[in-house]
Amino acid sequence: MKIMRSLLAASAAMVLTASLSACVSDEAAEAGPAGGDSDTITIGIKFDQPGLGLREGSDYTGFDVEVAKYVAKELGYEGDKVVFKESVSAQRETLIESGQVKLIFATYSITDARKEKVSFGGPYFIAGQDLLVSADNSDITGPESLNGKKLCSVAGSTPAEKIKKEYAQQVDLQEYDSYSKCVQELSAGSVDAVTTDNVILAGFAAQQQYAGKLKLVGAPFSEERYGVGLKKGDTELCGKVNDAITKMIDSGEWQKAIDNTVGPSGFEVDTATNPPKPDTCS
Ligand code: GLU
């Protein structure tokens, strides 16, 4: 009985703590237009894309993270005033529309469909859709050679949309919520290929646990212009973001960030399209 009572007390305490912490995070989420309270800014990034947006404990690394920090600093937020929130591909528009994040730097391609719900600063990087296969694969050379193959991509992403639109008849597309899961499936042999932007795939291929096991096909078949997601119609914020990006590029910090984050994977940035010039805000 005594044990029972203390168990009950313990579980009541747990419920209480859970609901208290739910209150706290709800409040933070509702902090509204700032996407954080007045002296912090909440920024959406990926948590599992090496070289772009990666969380390891309390460390955040990658090119998206570097551009996010630079822009945040220009907006007046530094150090622990910048709060990162995971933003998986399918959640990005919702996170912005609901005010849970102020800005998103998450390999987020600028598209007309997305522009119906959010606005974009940038672009700050140009990538292209590609395929990742096992190192000994020789029959997959591009999207046309995916006949009857199992292909993994992420729900709510432009690469998955492109496959559904243009190659749906031939390809068995499986959708997950993150590319890290797709890459695990590929390495386990349960899918034949993973598709998303070349720079993302290169980051995974270079990870120690996949070294020598995976390779990029290396024939990009789309143009992915990475923008900074923000509330639809906020041209003032968009203008500030673009000024910051331009400053980052002109000062050489953009190139330094590329070299330190994307560089180690061996990925070669297309200098014909990079660094890009931000679009006009609308
Ligand atoms: N850049 C593409 C997109 O915005 C693919 C990468 C991603 O899903 O984050 O959908």
Side-chain angles (χ1 to χ4, degrees):
M1 190 59 198
K2 205 169 175 193
I3 294 176
M4 190 64 190
R5 215 180 295 142
S6 52
L7 266 180
L8 275 175
S11 54
M14 266 161 61
V15 170
L16 192 63
T17 326
S19 47
L20 271 179
S21 57
C23 279
V24 170
S25 51
D26 279 356
E27 241 171 66
E30 274 166 21
D37 58 34
S38 57
D39 58 18
T40 66
I41 186 165
T42 303
I43 296 184
I45 58 164
K46 294 293 179 75
F47 274 11
D48 65 343
Q49 293 183 186
L52 290 156
L54 184 69
R55 186 179 83 156
E56 288 167 299
S58 56
D59 272 359
Y60 298 92
T61 55
F63 184 62
D64 281 343
V65 172
E66 292 308 315
V67 183
K69 283 185 183 166
Y70 190 99
V71 171
K73 192 170 172 194
E74 290 297 308
L75 296 174
Y77 304 91
E78 250 189 294
D80 61 5
K81 302 296 180 213
V82 179
V83 178
F84 289 117
K85 183 170 175 66
E86 183 171 30
S87 306
V88 299
S89 297
Q91 290 299 321
R92 291 175 294 199
E93 288 83 37
T94 307
L95 286 166
I96 293 168
E97 287 178 303
S98 63
Q100 291 181 73
V101 300
K102 182 88 170 169
L103 299 171
I104 286 196
F105 298 75
T107 58
Y108 196 12
S109 299
I110 301 172
T111 69
D112 288 342
R114 289 172 180 163
K115 275 190 192 167
E116 285 174 16
K117 297 180 172 178
V118 301
S119 290
F120 288 97
Y124 60 90
F125 190 76
I126 312 287
Q129 182 171 358
D130 206 336
L131 296 162
L132 186 71
V133 295
S134 79
D136 57 7
N137 181 295
S138 53
D139 59 344
I140 298 178
T141 51
E144 291 78 16
S145 56
L146 289 169
N147 253 347
K149 305 280 186 198
K150 282 193 187 143
L151 177 68
C152 193
S153 197
V154 163
S157 71
T158 49
E161 286 310 307
K162 190 172 178 77
I163 295 293
K164 282 193 236 173
K165 220 161 127 194
E166 294 173 28
Y167 305 95
Q169 305 307 315
Q170 307 93 293
V171 183
D172 176 4
L173 178 68
Q174 323 215 339
E175 291 178 85
Y176 286 85
D177 65 350
S178 76
Y179 298 107
S180 55
K181 287 185 195 149
C182 280
V183 177
Q184 280 166 21
E185 296 296 314
L186 175 64
S187 130
S190 33
V191 299
D192 301 301
V194 178
T195 190
T196 187
D197 307 336
N198 47 9
V199 67
I200 301 176
L201 297 172
F204 282 112
Q207 277 197 308
Q208 204 154 10
Q209 72 262 40
Y210 302 125
K213 292 187 183 164
L214 308 174
K215 67 172 184 200
L216 250 83
V217 165
F221 51 98
S222 77
E223 185 172 81
E224 305 295 323
R225 307 170 75 244
Y226 289 180
V228 182
L230 48 90
K231 190 144 262 177
K232 187 173 163 71
D234 194 343
T235 47
E236 193 187 333
L237 179 59
C238 175
K240 288 181 188 165
V241 167
N242 281 356
D243 288 348
I245 291 170
T246 304
K247 188 168 167 187
M248 187 177 187
I249 293 169
D250 292 348
S251 66
E253 290 300 313
W254 181 95
Q255 188 61 49
K256 228 189 261 173
I258 285 283
D259 295 345
N260 292 335
T261 56
V262 167
S265 74
F267 179 76
E268 283 191 26
V269 171
D270 180 357
T271 51
T273 51
N274 283 291
K277 217 171 110 50
D279 296 339
T280 307
C281 293
S282 58

